[in-house]
Amino acid sequence: MKKSCIILLFLFISFASNAQDKLRLNTGFKAGVQASTYQHTEFTLEGYNYNEKSLNTRIGYTFSGFLRLSKGRPYVQTEGIFSIDKYNFSFEPQNIITNDENLIPRYKLTTYSIHVPLLFGYKFVNTQTYKMSVFTGPKAKFLFTSLSDQNFINFPFSGAKEELDPLTFSWVVGLEVNIANICFDFVYQVGLNNTSEYIYIPDTHEKFQFNRNVDVLGFSLGVTL
């Protein structure tokens, strides 16, 4: 976190010091794919274990519009990102191993959310037709909890529901390349808080804590207007 603050301070100073450069305002659109991993992967639900060996990554999708204010090499950018995220958690009963895919307990989750980052970037390559930059900054995620699709499969209970946190935060770092007005970027974001509040089992009236901070690796392709 200290390194990130130093980077932000450096970018602010650079942005303010380039008095000879004109302010430029650009907009654009991007679409991309992303995959999630978890910082905490040990979890037991009613005698069923989930750990890092059970992680099955599913590809999610993003669609966004962005607004960028630049002055020479430094820039500040914000985005409105619509995201469809898909997760697949496979469990196994304690002390029992099965190779039958049709009997493995699974929890499939699809969520819909809006992301709003505040990014500070610096173009270390800045020519007329080719640019390359690094960027970093915080991101807020607003989750439409009522639209989430939850499906507990092959568990001996019914009606289970996960209560999801509607507001979470992450820290973003990335690399962007611009060729003419085409842009593509690689982004890694680190989850700063737990995305799950608890999983509730109506049959037993129990609540289970599922601690999972989500880290995301994404790629997007777009156009700058």
Side-chain angles (χ1 to χ4, degrees):
M1 184 63 71
K2 289 183 179 179
K3 291 183 178 179
S4 300
C5 292
I6 293 173
I7 293 173
L8 290 179
L9 180 61
F10 170 75
L11 291 173
F12 272 125
I13 293 173
S14 299
F15 193 84
S17 63
N18 291 336
Q20 72 277 15
D21 294 314
K22 294 182 179 181
L23 283 172
R24 294 182 178 275
L25 182 64
N26 296 103
T27 60
F29 302 92
K30 295 187 292 184
V33 294
Q34 60 184 22
S36 303
T37 58
Y38 306 94
Q39 299 172 20
H40 307 288
T41 55
E42 295 292 336
F43 176 65
T44 300
L45 177 64
E46 283 283 291
Y48 294 85
N49 295 329
Y50 171 82
N51 53 50
E52 68 273 5
K53 296 179 181 179
S54 309
L55 178 61
N56 296 308
T57 301
R58 300 177 68 193
I59 299 298
Y61 306 95
T62 60
F63 308 91
S64 65
F66 63 87
L67 182 68
R68 174 180 296 177
L69 183 65
S70 59
K71 190 177 184 182
R73 292 178 181 268
Y75 63 87
V76 179
Q77 178 172 309
T78 187
E79 303 178 32
I81 306 170
F82 176 71
S83 176
I84 303 173
D85 300 300
K86 299 181 179 183
Y87 310 94
N88 187 10
F89 308 95
S90 296
F91 291 77
E92 62 182 30
Q94 292 178 342
N95 304 319
I96 299 176
I97 299 177
T98 177
N99 294 321
D100 190 340
E101 291 289 330
N102 296 321
L103 298 178
I104 295 177
R106 301 180 186 276
Y107 170 38
K108 292 186 177 182
L109 171 66
T110 301
T111 63
Y112 304 87
S113 58
I114 295 292
H115 303 239
V116 181
L118 179 60
L119 305 176
F120 302 88
Y122 186 81
K123 304 170 191 172
F124 59 89
V125 177
N126 189 26
T127 66
Q128 187 68 25
T129 58
Y130 180 77
K131 297 176 177 61
M132 183 176 291
S133 62
V134 292
F135 56 86
T136 187
K139 175 190 283 189
K141 175 181 177 180
F142 304 91
L143 184 68
F144 300 105
T145 55
S146 61
L147 299 181
S148 65
D149 182 17
Q150 304 180 16
N151 193 5
F152 290 82
I153 305 170
N154 293 329
F155 286 97
F157 48 76
S158 60
K161 178 176 176 59
E162 182 177 21
E163 290 295 331
L164 300 167
D165 194 331
L167 176 61
T168 55
F169 298 92
S170 60
W171 192 269
V172 176
V173 292
L175 172 70
E176 182 182 80
V177 176
N178 290 81
I179 302 175
N181 65 332
I182 303 299
C183 62
F184 56 92
D185 59 34
F186 301 90
V187 177
Y188 186 74
Q189 64 183 47
V190 179
L192 300 179
N193 57 319
N194 189 10
T195 62
S196 174
E197 295 185 355
Y198 57 85
I199 294 179
Y200 177 67
I201 310 297
D203 292 354
T204 59
H205 304 288
E206 290 184 275
K207 294 180 180 180
F208 295 84
Q209 299 296 325
F210 195 176
N211 297 319
R212 50 184 175 93
N213 292 42
V214 181
D215 294 348
V216 178
L217 178 64
F219 168 80
S220 64
L221 178 65
V223 57
T224 302
L225 304 179

